Amino acid sequence: MGIQTNPYSLRLETVTMAKLKVVAKSNGRSVNKEIEMIAQQHIADYEKKNGPIVVENQ
């Protein structure tokens, strides 16, 4: 997996971010890695229901 060349600024509510920090710390991850894991799990669930997502030019 490569490093993102155009970082995306994520805006979350203060309480959501505070809770996410607790979850990430509990899992031994940074908030960034926790968000990445959540996104990967969501994509995997989506693909189980809808089939593989084909991404070109990567």
Side-chain angles (χ1 to χ4, degrees):
M1 179 180 299
I3 295 174
Q4 186 176 353
T5 57
N6 54 345
Y8 177 80
S9 177
L10 179 63
R11 294 178 293 263
L12 296 174
E13 292 183 10
T14 304
V15 173
T16 301
M17 178 56 88
K19 291 180 179 185
L20 185 57
K21 286 178 181 180
V22 171
V23 173
K25 185 175 181 179
S26 174
N27 290 329
R29 297 185 185 109
S30 67
V31 171
N32 187 69
K33 284 295 181 185
E34 191 67 30
I35 292 169
E36 186 177 351
M37 289 298 302
I38 291 167
Q40 288 172 348
Q41 290 169 352
H42 182 70
I43 291 166
D45 290 344
Y46 178 92
E47 289 183 315
K48 282 180 188 175
K49 294 176 188 172
N50 300 288
I53 299 170
V54 177
V55 179
E56 297 180 22
N57 299 324
Q58 294 298 316

